[in-house]
């Protein structure tokens, strides 16, 4: 089994020669499917089933009698080896490979250079399912599930869209507008009429919608979406819908590949990395991009790691959009503090140890030094520092200077919720050494407070925590 995955294609076989080697039931089934695709089918075998003989008499296929010879392949675009003799099938596959003709050996993925998928047929809509020969039964089960999902009228709907394609293209020249129009039509009342078999009514409804779409001057919009910390399972359903409807997606570097993979295939993906220190120029650049795409009538998704309103500058972007009259929506995301806490088994609040939690940004020296350290050093609370890897020494110094105990548990969570997550546990007074010793890198989050020690026993995700073994936190006397 090749390690790489198969490249799916749909082949146009009308009028093209296809050789089927074999004359039995299996060959017959393959021939029937090829005839439906309009192929010029040649069947080679020493003997033929009754149906194959019949089809040859009707002039629908061509028979070649005898033992396999490589010359059978002459002029063929595809070959299917469907004999009951594996040596013959192997010879057919070898000859096809020499001629560079795609060959499928029935039930033999190893010898095949292409696979025939299980198919859900709503022609012209066709859904193909394949496991690359790894588990044909699974492919069939999936096909059955999809069969139930797809209404039989979808074929008629696809045919209707095809009949109107040129007209729609002529009247809605802009690709984005056309796409939005079709999305509406294919899910709205036009589809409903088709489902009821009322094709003529569906066509007039389509004409009405098209006239309305021509007149409307569509205004674009921006959805500010929180992508969560990495694990795509933590994206909200609403966020997923926005990704599916987007024409353009402007995303940060923090957004994981898994989340981006959920975006609509033909959405334009633009990475807008913001380097530390050059925030201002690039933030203006991001504003300009948002404006440009929204003004062109596109649906823009501004996708940010975690939550857009937690250290994400989402507020600034919305203020800008509002000043320019662009409509917007906000979809929250799971912020790094919540995700890192959950995925490292560190409850941010706990009846025995912490009654409040603070999210703090520590991205530069000046912002660190101006924090209210007196309040931050208070007991019975949990602190979560974002962007803190470079500032650990100062965080420790400030907290110790304001009375927080050196033995206070801390946790560093790197790449929280991702498969490469690492958690380092330790005590506040050794914080910078811990980070250096384990080479903690960005993106990482710092959690300070008694609850951090619980990560030693409640961890459940990924690798076990690193760092010295901490004593379990003492429960408060009842
Ligand atoms: N809006 C984001 C935060 C952006 S600031 C949110 O709500 O999560 C960037 C900082 O977030 C990083 O420097 C890091 O401290 C933290 N962060 C984001 N994703 C993280 C992850 N998967 N693991 C650990 N920290 C993360």
């Amino acid at each position: 089994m090749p390690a790489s995955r198969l490249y799916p294609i749909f082949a146009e076989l009308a009028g093209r020669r296809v050789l089927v080697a074999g004359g039995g039931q299996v060959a017959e089934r393959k021939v029937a499917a090829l005839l439906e695709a309009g192929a010029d089918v040649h069947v080679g075998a020493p003997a033929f089933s009754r149906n194959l003989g019949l089809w040859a008499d009707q002039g629908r296929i061509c028979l070649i009698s005898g033992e396999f010879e490589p010359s059978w392949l002459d002029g063929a675009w595809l070959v299917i080896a469907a004999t009951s003799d594996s040596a013959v099938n192997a010879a057919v596959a070898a000859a096809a490979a020499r001629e560079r003709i795609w060959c499928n050996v029935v039930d033999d993925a190893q010898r095949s250079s292409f696979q025939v998928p299980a198919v859900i047929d709503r022609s012209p809509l066709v859904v193909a399912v394949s496991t690359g020969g790894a588990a044909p039964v699974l492919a069939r089960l999936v096909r059955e599930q999809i069969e139930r999902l797809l209404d039989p009228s979808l074929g008629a709907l696809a045919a209707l869209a095809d009949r109107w394609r040129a007209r729609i293209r002529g009247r809605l020249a802009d690709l984005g507008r056309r796409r939005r129009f079709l999305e509406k039509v294919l899910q709205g009342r036009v589809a409903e009429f088709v489902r009821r078999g009322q094709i003529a009514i569906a066509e007039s409804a389509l004409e009405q919608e098209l006239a309305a779409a021509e007149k409307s001057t569509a205004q674009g919009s921006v959805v500010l979406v929180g992508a969560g910390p990495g694990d795509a399972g933590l994206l909200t359903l609403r966020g997923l819908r926005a990704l599916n409807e987007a024409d353009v997606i402007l995303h940060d570097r923090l957004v994981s590949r898994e989340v981006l993979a959920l975006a609509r295939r033909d959405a334009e993906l633009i990475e807008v990395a913001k380097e530390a220190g050059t925030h201002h120029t690039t933030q203006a650049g991001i504003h300009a991009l948002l404006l440009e795409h929204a003004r062109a009538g596109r649906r823009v998704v501004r996708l940010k790691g975690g939550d857009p309103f937690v250290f994400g500058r989402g507020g600034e972007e919305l203020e800008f959009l509002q000043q320019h009259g662009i409509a917007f929506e906000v979809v929250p995301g799971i912020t790094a503090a919540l995700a890192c806490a959950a995925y490292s088994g560190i409850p941010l609040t706990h009846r025995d140890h912490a009654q409040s939690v603070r999210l703090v940004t520590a991205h530069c020296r000046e912002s660190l030094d101006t924090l209210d350290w007196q309040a931050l050093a208070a007991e019975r609370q949990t602190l979560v520092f974002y962007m803190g890897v470079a500032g650990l020494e100062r965080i420790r110094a400030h907290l110790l200077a304001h009375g927080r105990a050196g033995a206070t548990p801390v946790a560093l969570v790197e790449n929280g919720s991702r498969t490469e997550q690492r958690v380092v546990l330790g005590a506040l007074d050794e914080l910078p050494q811990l980070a250096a010793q384990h080479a903690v890198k960005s993106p990482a989050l710092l959690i300070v407070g008694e609850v951090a020690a619980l990560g030693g026993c409640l961890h459940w995700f990924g690798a076990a925590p690193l760092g010295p073994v901490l004593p379990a936190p003492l429960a408060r006397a009842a």
Side-chain angles (χ1 to χ4, degrees), residues 126-350:
V126 176
V127 180
V129 179
S130 165
T131 58
V137 176
L138 180 63
R140 221 174 48 231
L141 292 174
V142 170
R143 191 199 68 183
E144 283 163 19
Q145 288 176 17
I146 300 177
E147 279 285 0
R148 285 197 293 272
L149 282 177
L150 299 185
D151 195 87
S153 71
L154 281 177
L157 187 62
L160 178 120
D162 190 28
R163 283 198 298 283
W164 280 73
R165 216 151 69 110
R167 268 173 284 178
I168 293 169
R169 190 183 290 251
R171 288 163 66 179
L172 296 177
D174 178 75
L175 180 68
R177 281 179 76 191
R178 201 155 65 229
R179 187 153 56 202
R180 282 189 290 283
F181 169 75
L182 281 168
E183 279 172 9
K184 191 167 154 223
V185 158
L186 295 175
Q187 300 178 63
R189 63 192 186 113
V190 173
E192 189 52 48
F193 288 128
V194 173
R195 222 175 347 261
R196 292 189 225 140
Q198 300 170 320
I199 304 295
I201 301 179
E203 304 234 8
S204 60
L206 180 55
E207 170 54 46
Q208 277 172 19
E209 304 248 352
L210 186 54
E214 263 180 313
K215 277 194 231 103
S216 85
T217 47
Q219 167 72 282
S221 60
V222 175
V223 192
L224 187 56
V225 177
D231 179 347
L234 296 181
L235 184 70
T236 63
L237 290 176
R238 194 169 286 234
L240 179 63
R241 186 167 352 125
L243 286 182
N244 275 319
E245 291 172 353
D247 298 312
V248 185
I249 297 171
L250 302 184
H251 65 93
D252 291 345
R253 210 173 0 175
L254 264 184
V255 175
S256 71
R257 273 211 319 264
E258 289 79 1
V259 170
L260 289 176
L262 297 172
R264 207 182 58 203
R265 279 296 146 93
D266 48 4
E268 184 184 350
L269 289 177
I270 304 175
E271 179 178 319
V272 285
K274 286 184 289 181
E275 302 295 338
T278 59
H279 271 200
H280 284 292
T281 45
T282 29
Q283 188 65 39
I286 293 170
H287 289 175
L289 277 171
L290 286 172
L291 194 60
E292 174 195 328
H293 288 292
R295 285 210 168 134
R298 304 195 181 107
R299 280 171 308 189
V300 183
V301 164
R302 172 71 177 107
L303 189 62
K304 287 169 176 285
D307 179 87
F309 281 179
V310 178
F311 309 131
R313 307 190 73 172
E316 289 161 58
E317 291 176 16
L318 294 192
E319 280 166 341
F320 174 83
L321 293 172
Q322 191 170 48
Q323 281 157 17
H324 290 83
I326 304 288
F328 56 77
E329 269 176 60
V330 185
V331 181
I334 305 247
T335 188
L338 300 186
C340 291
Y343 279 62
S344 60
I346 298 176
L348 292 176
T349 67
H350 189 291

Side-chain angles (χ1 to χ4, degrees), residues 1-9 109 112-117 130-134:
M1 188 60 46
S4 50
R5 67 185 178 97
L6 299 179
Y7 182 72
I9 56 173
S112 298
S113 58
F114 78 92
Q115 304 278 322
V116 182
S130 165
T131 58

Side-chain angles (χ1 to χ4, degrees), residues 11 26 29 50-51 64 78-79 101 114-115 136 146 163 166 192 236 241 259 301 318 344 380 418 420 457:
V26 179
R29 273 206 317 273
R50 225 182 69 94
N51 274 335
I64 319 168
L78 282 185
V79 182
I101 302 173
F114 78 92
Q115 304 278 322
I146 300 177
R163 283 198 298 283
E192 189 52 48
T236 63
R241 186 167 352 125
V259 170
V301 164
L318 294 192
S344 60
R380 310 197 61 74
R418 304 176 182 215
E420 60 271 31
C457 49

